[in-house]
Amino acid sequence: MADSIPRTFVDRAPEGWRPYLRLARYDRPIGFWLLAIPCFQGLALAAMETGVGWSMAGYAALFAIGAIAMRGAGCTWNDIADRDLDAKVARTADRPLAAGTISVKQALIFLAAQCAVGALVLLFLPLMAIGIALAALLLVAAYPFMKRITWWPQVWLGLTFNWGVLVGYAALGGTDWIAASLLYAAAALWTLGYDTIYACQDMEDDALVGVKSSARALGHAIGPAVGAIYGASLVLTALAAIKAGAGLVFAPVFAAYAVHLVWQASRFRPDDGPACLAHFKSNREAGLILLAALLLGALAPM
């Protein structure tokens, strides 16, 4: 696929496995990172209150496994719902269901297997974290249909993809839910920004098949809009850290994160698909920079 890594282990896997690995996007690992990083950030925010300990590492490992399983499950569900639309879009026409290399029944069985792995991860979390995690299923189930009914499916993706902030925060026993909610809102805006950049790749095809997106809705204002969205995300992130009691050491690394987002917003071009993809993928580094800032804030709280 256009946005997959060329010649990954997926291409060397047994032929019968490849459709499943592609269905779960194992050849596009950026999605695993973008789902796991908010979980880690939620842990780091809670650690400003509870302190940094070995339990964080255990939860981080669980969230990494859960992110791989549930991102794959989400992509599988998305492709089941979108198989007819995917066949009409150049970038997605060779996805396994759209191309007919796997059946819907096979995809549903694979979806159930991935959800089972996610359920096993939940068994090791506190009850509050389990309840919060299960609430996300409604967001996940509805997401594939958002592009049909709203111009802002990227907002729904932001709410869905960053739910891990709240799960991670609850897992470590954080109690300042105003701070957690601020970070969740900031992360949702971050996703709205980077997924709007990503959606620029498909604007022509989306217009032809009638798929809605924030990129199409914003039109010529997309550059300034992404800048404003990222700016709002930065403000909310700073407020969350201050509310949680981050130490001053948080500030310089957070500044590096802000510079990264400003660089993205000022340099991407909506008509340059490869560049949009590169800027989108750079959000793994952006998210890790913010994670580092939050961890430092937890290690040296005010």
Side-chain angles (χ1 to χ4, degrees), residues 9-77:
F9 78 95
V10 172
D11 302 287
R12 298 186 293 273
E15 188 171 352
W17 295 9
R18 292 176 200 170
Y20 296 97
L21 295 174
R22 291 197 172 101
L23 193 63
R25 311 290 198 274
Y26 281 93
D27 52 350
R28 297 163 58 189
I30 181 62
F32 300 127
W33 283 102
L34 294 177
L35 189 59
I37 286 172
C39 301
F40 303 155
Q41 291 174 350
L43 288 172
L45 189 74
M48 294 180 193
E49 177 184 345
T50 65
V52 176
W54 285 110
S55 60
M56 286 183 66
Y59 284 131
L62 288 171
F63 289 138
I65 295 169
I68 292 171
M70 296 313 296
R71 191 261 184 158
C75 289
T76 302
W77 171 241

Side-chain angles (χ1 to χ4, degrees), residues 8 16 22 24 98 141 174 200 203 242 292:
T8 66
R22 291 197 172 101
C200 290
M203 282 195 289
I242 293 169

Side-chain angles (χ1 to χ4, degrees), residues 6-273:
R7 302 303 303 171
T8 66
F9 78 95
V10 172
D11 302 287
R12 298 186 293 273
E15 188 171 352
W17 295 9
R18 292 176 200 170
Y20 296 97
L21 295 174
R22 291 197 172 101
L23 193 63
R25 311 290 198 274
Y26 281 93
D27 52 350
R28 297 163 58 189
I30 181 62
F32 300 127
W33 283 102
L34 294 177
L35 189 59
I37 286 172
C39 301
F40 303 155
Q41 291 174 350
L43 288 172
L45 189 74
M48 294 180 193
E49 177 184 345
T50 65
V52 176
W54 285 110
S55 60
M56 286 183 66
Y59 284 131
L62 288 171
F63 289 138
I65 295 169
I68 292 171
M70 296 313 296
R71 191 261 184 158
C75 289
T76 302
W77 171 241
N78 188 75
D79 284 10
I80 290 171
D82 282 354
R83 59 191 183 277
D84 294 332
L85 286 176
D86 284 344
K88 301 175 183 177
V89 176
R91 187 177 58 83
T92 59
D94 60 351
R95 286 179 176 172
L97 282 165
T101 56
I102 192 173
S103 70
V104 173
K105 180 180 178 180
Q106 290 170 315
L108 286 170
I109 293 171
F110 184 49
L111 171 63
Q114 293 173 96
C115 288
V117 174
L120 286 174
V121 169
L122 289 184
L123 295 178
F124 295 93
L125 300 181
L127 282 177
M128 178 177 279
I130 293 173
I132 293 172
L134 290 175
L137 294 177
L138 296 174
L139 293 169
V140 175
Y143 170 67
F145 307 102
M146 290 298 109
K147 65 177 72 70
R148 296 167 170 85
I149 62 177
T150 175
W151 284 99
W152 299 94
Q154 281 71 26
V155 172
W156 197 269
L157 181 68
L159 297 173
T160 305
F161 238 60
N162 296 286
W163 198 256
V165 168
L166 304 179
V167 180
Y169 190 79
L172 206 61
T175 60
D176 188 347
W177 286 98
I178 294 177
S181 298
L182 286 168
L183 184 60
Y184 172 59
L189 286 170
W190 172 50
T191 297
L192 171 59
Y194 70 60
D195 203 56
T196 296
I197 294 174
Y198 184 81
C200 290
Q201 301 174 91
D202 295 332
M203 282 195 289
E204 291 185 7
D205 285 336
D206 285 350
L208 288 173
V209 300
V211 168
K212 300 174 180 179
S213 73
S214 56
R216 290 188 62 207
L218 290 168
H220 295 300
I222 191 169
V226 169
I229 290 165
Y230 276 164
S233 177
L234 290 169
V235 170
L236 291 175
T237 303
L239 290 174
I242 293 169
K243 181 71 172 61
L248 290 176
V249 70
F250 165 83
V253 185
F254 175 72
Y257 172 66
V259 168
H260 194 294
L261 295 193
V262 170
W263 168 77
Q264 284 186 52
S266 62
R267 295 298 299 272
F268 91 94
R269 297 293 177 266
D271 57 351
D272 187 343

